[in-house]
Amino acid sequence: MKFISFNVNGIRAALGKGVLDYFKESKADFICIQETKAQPEQIDIDLPGYYKYINSAEKKGYSGTMILAKKEPMSVDVTGFDNEGRTVCLEYDDFYLIDNYVPNAQDELARIDYRLEWEEKRRKYMVKLDKKKPVIMCGDLNVAHNEIDLKNPKSNAGHAGFSDEEREAFNKLLKSGFLDSYRTLYPEKVEYSWWSYRFHAREKNVGWRIDYFIVSERLMPKVKDVVIRTDVFGSDHCPVELNIKL
C-alpha cells in the first residue's frame, strides 16, 4: 500500500501549482494533507475514487488537515486536541491512520507550552490506539529530531523546530513504542522535506526534515520504503511517501 504525507501550505494555492497531477499520478491508497488553510466548502479536488475526510480550523485560512482514502474506514475521528483542525484519524481492520499538523512553537518559543501539551495529548492518544491495533501516524511534525535532520543545527539550536523541549517530546513518543520509519531505514541519509521561501533555500538545499511517517514498532518489518520526493513542487514542503505491505 502507498501512503503520501504532504504539507501543501494552502490547498487552493497548491492545486493551482500542479499538485493535483502529482496526486493522480501517484495512485496512492491514502493521501494525507496538512495546512489546507481552507474550510470544507472551499476544498474542491477533482480526484475520483477517493473518500474525503476534512478537519478545518475554526479560524479561517489557518492550519487544517485532510485525508483522501481509496477505502472507506470503519470509523473517523476528527475531534483532535484543539480547535485548529490539526488531526484526522481513520480506523481500518488492521491499523489506524493519523494525519497530524503539529503546532509550531513560534519565534522565541512563544507557544512552546501549548505545543508540548498538544504533543503529550497526541502521544497518549497514539499509545491508547496502539494497544488495539498498529498505528501509522504521518504529517508535518514541526521538529527536526537530530542534527542530521537539518542543514544548520548549530545556528538553529534552541529555536522553534530544534529546541531541546521539542526534540525530547519526539524522543518520548519514540520510546512509547513507535519508530521514525525513514530514519530506521536510512540511519545516515541526509535529505530534507521543508525549505524556507527566503534566500533561495530550496535551490541551495538548506532545509529541514520535519515531515514523517511514524509507525508502531511491530509494523516496521512491513515497511518496504520511505521516499522523500524532493522532485515534487507546489509548496515549501515536499511530499513523503510510505510503501508498506499490509
Side-chain angles (χ1 to χ4, degrees):
M1 300 179 81
K2 185 174 184 178
F3 296 72
I4 289 172
S5 177
F6 196 2
N7 179 323
V8 296
N9 194 11
I11 185 65
R12 290 167 291 179
L15 290 173
K17 297 176 182 177
V19 166
L20 184 61
D21 291 335
Y22 162 66
F23 288 158
K24 289 179 177 178
E25 291 165 6
S26 73
K27 298 180 181 177
D29 296 282
F30 299 93
I31 301 172
C32 300
I33 298 170
Q34 305 92 42
E35 206 170 359
T36 58
K37 295 184 178 179
Q39 299 301 305
E41 65 274 11
Q42 297 174 308
I43 299 174
D44 183 20
I45 296 184
D46 180 21
L47 206 59
Y50 287 86
Y51 296 93
K52 184 166 61 177
Y53 304 97
I54 298 172
N55 190 4
S56 297
E58 286 185 7
K59 179 181 177 182
K60 293 185 177 180
Y62 179 72
S63 190
T65 47
M66 172 172 63
I67 297 180
L68 303 172
K70 283 187 176 179
K71 183 179 179 181
E72 191 171 8
M74 297 166 58
S75 69
V76 181
D77 182 5
V78 294
T79 54
F81 318 114
D82 54 25
N83 60 3
E84 297 184 354
R86 295 183 177 276
T87 301
V88 178
C89 178
L90 306 184
E91 178 186 5
Y92 289 92
D93 290 334
D94 301 323
F95 65 96
Y96 289 98
L97 173 62
I98 303 174
D99 181 17
N100 272 174
Y101 177 39
V102 176
N104 192 303
Q106 298 184 351
D107 291 343
E108 298 183 359
L109 303 183
R111 216 184 185 201
I112 188 67
D113 290 343
Y114 180 80
R115 158 71 177 261
L116 296 177
E117 178 184 349
W118 193 98
E119 289 228 46
E120 182 61 10
K121 289 178 181 177
R122 190 270 312 276
R123 186 188 69 82
K124 289 180 178 178
Y125 180 73
M126 289 176 61
V127 169
K128 181 180 178 181
L129 295 183
D130 188 50
K131 291 178 180 178
K132 301 175 184 177
K133 59 186 79 172
V135 174
I136 298 171
M137 185 270 282
C138 69
D140 175 0
L141 305 191
N142 260 319
V143 62
H145 185 207
N146 291 309
E147 291 192 355
I148 192 174
D149 296 313
L150 72 166
K151 182 68 172 181
N152 296 312
K154 299 283 190 294
S155 60
N156 283 293
H159 293 276
F162 199 58
S163 67
D164 291 342
E165 296 93 329
E166 291 164 299
R167 295 171 68 194
E168 182 52 38
F170 194 90
N171 285 334
K172 189 174 181 181
L173 174 65
L174 297 184
K175 290 175 182 176
S176 298
F178 303 97
L179 291 170
D180 171 357
S181 58
Y182 174 87
R183 189 54 72 205
T184 302
L185 289 177
Y186 304 110
E188 299 179 5
K189 199 169 184 178
V190 177
E191 289 184 296
Y192 307 124
S193 64
W194 174 80
W195 304 261
S196 170
Y197 278 131
R198 298 182 294 174
F199 311 122
H200 303 285
R202 188 160 185 171
E203 181 182 328
K204 299 174 182 177
N205 200 27
V206 178
W208 299 52
R209 187 177 73 94
I210 59 175
D211 301 88
Y212 297 82
F213 272 96
I214 306 298
V215 301
S216 296
E217 289 179 350
R218 60 192 183 281
L219 277 186
M220 194 63 214
K222 299 177 182 294
V223 173
K224 301 306 177 186
D225 203 3
V226 182
V227 181
I228 299 178
R229 292 292 306 272
T230 56
D231 59 316
V232 177
F233 294 83
S235 172
D236 51 349
H237 294 250
C238 74
V240 181
E241 299 177 353
L242 169 74
N243 290 288
I244 185 169
K245 187 175 182 179
L246 291 171

